[in-house]
Amino acid sequence: MRSAILPKRYVTCERRTSRTTCPFSLSLTRLNAVSDWTPGSWRALPAEQQPAWPDEHALELALKRLSSLPPLVFAGEARALREALAGVAAGKAFLLQAGDCAESFYDFTADSIRDKLKVILQMAVVLTYGTGKPVVKVGRIAGQFAKPRSAPSEVVDGVEIPAFRGHIVNDDAPTPEARRPDPSRLVAAYHQSASTLNLLRAFTKGGFADLSQVHMWNQQFVSSSREGQRYETIAGEIDRALRFMAACGIDLLAEESLHQVDFYTSHEALILGYEEALTRKDSLTGGWYDTSAHLLWVGERTRQSSGAHAHFLSGVGNPVAAKVGPAATPEELVALCRVLDPGRQPGRLTLICRMGAGKVGEMLPPLQRAVQDSGHPVVWACDPMHGNTFVSDGGRKTRHFDDVLAEISGFFAACRSTGSWPGGVHIELTGDSVTECLGGAEEVLEDDLELRYTTTCDPRLNARQSLDLAFRVAELLRAG
Ligand code: TRP
Ligand code: MN
């Protein structure tokens, strides 16, 4: 089907219009480039958002070191995620992608990883139980270090210093020394990812994620709240269901799926040297896989279909995603789909929309129709965070929980109007009791932002707001 469709469009384009005006012509140039793809072929293309590393030699050494280190994930796992996402694309499952905006070299403890996982497991339980559909669990974790910036530098106390680009590049302290891009951080990020992933694998496969532990994921400060009690009700029902199955003679111990979860990792593929160094050839299939995470995405600022980031992701076998903001045009998006999903393969490409609560209703349907017409079986996911950020009167970057919910409702409505499956949500959260986003059942007010505001980048939902959100999403899915 693919070879039947692509050449036809090619011919139509070539005959009708010049390369600069035809929306498909760029991706045609790309298609040629893809056949020459290597992990380093992105270097010939314009790459946005790359740090100005001051020491080339140190950079080379760091990248060389990285390329000699073991992979963090296996190709077979990435393929398993792609298959799970194919289920989402077909409307049979739901994607929960969640974690930090930016992981930090400082906030790196077993407790913080465990508590983040607890919230994600709670959300997954609420969604699975509430909808009766499998939930594909993907963390923004174990590699989510790099941040794109709107300007390469900022002025602090009259001094111009490089912008903070995430701990994989520089330190967040506002001094020229701290902000100097340091390539040894690439290697440090790898090692922190490896330890994080190790703990996640232990937690998800070693008993912690067992459904019999469902009460234990309800942290104390959550369980006393309204959302926490609602969760306890579900947890109690799951206990009963398990006892019922055991009474019916089903050997629960033998049912592996009750005792563990498949938990996948993801991050924005921003620093391309890092991603290149961790890209390896799979011995089984001979294909290239970026072994830094199971799923990689391009951000709103780096998703140009002719740019280096899309080119890099076009050549790896992992499932990939792209953030899609309100400025995206249908032509642009279809061109990007052709680069990232030339094989029209279910599960290969997820489009994560981040329009803003006020824009999603108007902007999303035309994009969905264009992608539908193009025949790419994408997963549609909603990032209700990044289009709803504003600065409070006190100068804190924040988001209002009501706007987050409003964007999710708008996303569901848009999907309903175009006949697309609302496949998932993409959330920035933490397991802690932070006060970074406003609102929620026990309202966080503007004055509260000062209390526990610990993010190194964007404001995250706290554990209670996250759980509350899962209940709302489950309700929307049931109503759909
Ligand atoms: N393995 C199943 C799943 O991932 C059931 C399951 C086990 C589960 N532990 C869980 C579901 C924790 C959600 C949360 O769906
Ligand atoms: Mn963010």
Side-chain angles (χ1 to χ4, degrees), residues 382-459:
C382 172
D383 165 359
M385 314 297 292
H386 289 91
N388 297 306
T389 315
F390 65 94
V391 178
S392 73
D393 290 342
R396 292 290 193 186
K397 223 183 184 189
T398 188
R399 294 156 174 160
H400 203 293
F401 190 62
D402 292 344
D403 295 334
V404 170
L405 291 182
E407 176 150 4
I408 295 179
S409 312
F411 170 77
F412 272 76
C415 289
R416 210 174 304 125
S417 77
T418 60
S420 313
W421 168 242
V425 288
H426 180 114
I427 306 289
E428 288 184 347
L429 56 70
T430 161
D432 302 333
S433 175
V434 299
T435 54
E436 298 173 4
C437 291
L438 300 168
E442 184 193 284
E443 217 178 331
V444 174
L445 303 169
E446 285 220 23
D447 287 345
D448 302 332
L449 291 180
E450 295 310 315
L451 296 176
R452 289 178 303 280
Y453 192 99
T454 59
T455 183
T456 46
C457 195
D458 289 340

Side-chain angles (χ1 to χ4, degrees), residues 455-477:
T455 183
T456 46
C457 195
D458 289 340
R460 302 157 297 178
L461 296 181
N462 62 32
R464 293 185 42 190
Q465 290 167 329
S466 304
L467 190 55
D468 199 352
L469 182 134
F471 279 112
R472 313 283 184 119
V473 172
E475 280 162 16
L476 284 165
L477 277 166

Side-chain angles (χ1 to χ4, degrees), residues 26 28 87 111 171 223 229 240 248 283 293 328 360 386 388 392 414 439:
L26 256 186
L28 287 173
D111 287 2
D171 191 78
S223 62
Q229 278 162 15
R240 261 214 334 251
C248 292
S283 53
V360 62
H386 289 91
N388 297 306
S392 73

Side-chain angles (χ1 to χ4, degrees), residues 64-314:
K64 200 162 160 228
R65 174 89 189 117
L66 279 175
S67 47
S68 71
L69 290 169
L72 293 175
V73 306
F74 291 129
E77 297 172 331
R79 281 193 290 273
L81 174 57
R82 199 187 61 215
E83 275 157 32
L85 289 170
V88 178
K92 294 185 187 136
F94 192 75
L95 165 66
L96 173 62
Q97 191 177 15
D100 257 311
C101 175
E103 288 173 275
S104 160
F105 280 8
Y106 302 120
D107 172 29
F108 172 41
T109 62
D111 287 2
S112 84
I113 296 166
R114 181 200 59 204
D115 291 346
K116 228 172 283 170
L117 182 64
K118 277 183 177 174
V119 187
I120 297 175
L121 291 176
Q122 283 190 290
M123 294 177 80
V125 161
V126 167
L127 287 163
T128 313
Y129 191 81
T131 66
K133 284 199 159 53
V135 172
V136 181
K137 304 151 198 78
V138 181
R140 270 179 79 108
I141 201 166
Q144 174 51 29
F145 291 103
K147 300 314 298 172
R149 305 313 308 219
S150 46
S153 64
E154 63 180 325
V155 176
V156 177
D157 296 334
V159 184
E160 187 176 0
I161 57 173
F164 172 53
R165 290 182 180 275
H167 284 160
I168 192 171
V169 176
N170 54 10
D171 191 78
D172 49 298
T175 66
E177 306 76 54
R179 293 290 174 84
R180 191 182 142 93
D182 174 0
S184 73
R185 287 175 170 270
L186 295 165
V187 181
Y190 165 90
H191 287 298
Q192 181 162 329
S193 301
S195 320
T196 304
L197 191 51
N198 177 55
L199 202 57
L200 288 170
R201 288 189 194 278
F203 278 141
T204 53
K205 300 291 175 187
F208 182 84
D210 193 308
L211 271 182
S212 67
Q213 303 292 308
V214 65
H215 295 280
M216 216 197 52
W217 309 325
N218 212 3
Q219 298 183 75
Q220 215 154 30
F221 71 92
V222 181
S223 62
S224 55
S225 70
R226 214 189 310 156
E227 314 82 86
Q229 278 162 15
R230 204 172 163 193
Y231 174 81
E232 271 305 308
T233 307
I234 287 189
E237 286 171 21
I238 289 174
D239 279 345
R240 261 214 334 251
L242 290 174
R243 282 200 301 273
F244 171 73
M245 287 194 285
C248 292
I250 296 170
D251 181 0
L252 299 187
L253 277 179
E255 290 299 327
E256 213 177 63
S257 69
L258 296 174
H259 309 299
Q260 55 184 42
V261 298
D262 292 332
F263 186 82
Y264 298 99
T265 61
S266 69
H267 62 257
E268 176 173 356
L270 189 70
I271 309 295
L272 291 175
Y274 177 84
E275 303 302 334
E276 175 189 347
L278 286 169
T279 295
R280 311 288 162 80
K281 200 168 229 171
D282 172 31
S283 53
L284 209 62
T285 61
W288 291 101
Y289 283 81
D290 184 345
T291 66
S292 72
H294 299 107
L295 177 144
L296 289 310
W297 75 83
V298 283
E300 169 69 0
R301 293 183 177 88
T302 50
R303 64 168 163 76
Q304 304 80 7
S305 59
S306 53
H309 291 82
H311 173 76
F312 174 77
L313 287 188
S314 75

